[in-house]
Amino acid sequence: DAKTTQPNSMESNEEEPVHLPCNHSTISGTDYIHWYRQLPSQGPEYVIHGLTSNVNNRMASLAIAEDRKSSTLILHRATLRDAAVYYCILRDLYSGAGSYQLTFGKGTKLSVIP
Amino acid sequence: NAGVTQTPKFQVLKTGQSMTLQCAQDMNHEYMSWYRQDPGMGLRLIHYSVGAGITDQGEVPNGYNVSRSTTEDFPLRLLSAAPSQTSVYFCASSYRVNSGNTIYFGEGSWLTVV
């Protein structure tokens, strides 16, 4: 899988929007962009994923740059429960040995200030 | 629907002891995997399986064995525990291994080797 780069940490005030960036300059045309988050002392959980177009779901929005070399996870109103480590990972569209090994990296630790 | 179930949640082992971390999923998922997470680090892949009877090594396989005799179960065996294996272990599964499928994680197993 291609590598991703994320800031180590970010802070946000409660009830304000949060924009979490991810750079993936070596992304291939068949890589999906996935976001997961890990709350303290829990396993990671799925947030959102997309390929080319911006995506929305009940948890967040995903904005993908036109050249797909970067993306941004948007939490519209941060709550205390959103304090977690957020991971941006790439997954190839096609099954193959390379796509089996998902690389999570260290992610971005989001702190939410009351 | 139980999702991904890991047992035990906490375990203390003495150096040289062996044990098995159990992982079961009830979603008929083909892909299952084991990760370890050390303090302040991202997840690192230990072993994975793309179906019953098929397993392969991930990034950090040494000291661990796996088997996949059924679709539902994917146990992780520590052959001779070492203090370096003190970590949090997460089991994960998804319907298929390729990009569009959500990965579901268990709640984690905290292992201490003394």
Side-chain angles (χ1 to χ4, degrees):
Chain A
D1 291 325
K3 284 193 172 182
T4 62
T5 304
Q6 299 176 253
N8 290 333
S9 62
M10 292 184 65
E11 276 188 354
S12 173
N13 293 319
E14 193 176 10
E15 299 191 3
E16 289 188 356
V18 183
H19 290 236
L20 297 165
C22 181
N23 286 319
H24 28 78
S25 58
T26 60
I27 191 171
S28 75
T30 55
D31 280 330
Y32 272 80
I33 302 159
H34 284 246
W35 284 83
Y36 284 76
R37 72 179 185 180
Q38 186 175 19
L39 301 172
S41 300
Q42 294 189 25
E45 63 176 349
Y46 169 81
V47 177
I48 199 166
H49 77 281
L51 184 62
T52 55
S53 304
N54 294 345
V55 183
N56 300 296
N57 66 21
R58 64 174 180 82
M59 290 180 69
S61 296
L62 176 60
I64 301 172
E66 195 168 335
D67 64 4
R68 299 205 332 120
K69 293 185 177 182
S70 65
S71 61
T72 302
L73 178 70
I74 302 166
L75 307 179
H76 296 287
R77 284 180 71 232
T79 68
L80 296 179
R81 195 188 176 280
D82 292 322
V85 177
Y86 288 79
Y87 297 98
C88 167
I89 65 172
L90 304 180
R91 300 186 69 189
D92 201 293
L93 174 64
Y94 300 107
S95 297
S99 69
Y100 299 165
Q101 299 208 25
L102 303 173
T103 302
F104 273 77
K106 295 185 181 181
T108 297
K109 183 176 182 178
L110 175 67
S111 300
V112 179
I113 302 167
Chain B
N1 197 348
V4 179
T5 303
Q6 291 182 232
T7 55
K9 192 168 181 68
F10 299 99
Q11 182 72 49
V12 178
L13 281 180
K14 293 182 179 179
T15 299
Q17 286 184 320
S18 63
M19 78 155 299
T20 299
L21 298 177
Q22 301 291 345
C23 177
Q25 52 87 11
D26 60 358
M27 298 173 281
N28 199 31
H29 285 174
E30 288 188 351
Y31 179 78
M32 296 186 74
S33 56
W34 277 101
Y35 290 86
R36 62 176 287 174
Q37 186 173 37
D38 300 312
M41 302 289 289
L43 289 87
R44 292 186 293 169
L45 182 65
I46 305 171
H47 285 285
Y48 63 90
S49 168
V50 298
I54 306 169
T55 64
D56 207 343
Q57 297 179 350
E59 180 185 358
V60 289
N62 292 340
Y64 307 96
N65 272 358
V66 293
S67 60
R68 184 95 180 268
S69 56
T70 66
T71 300
E72 295 79 18
D73 300 300
F74 191 46
L76 178 72
R77 297 183 187 85
L78 281 71
L79 308 173
S80 177
S84 61
Q85 293 179 304
T86 294
S87 190
V88 183
Y89 292 84
F90 291 100
C91 180
S93 74
S94 69
Y95 181 59
R96 292 272 194 273
V97 71
N98 61 1
S99 60
N101 292 278
T102 301
I103 309 166
Y104 296 87
F105 287 83
E107 294 186 345
S109 295
W110 273 254
L111 176 66
T112 301
V113 182
V114 298

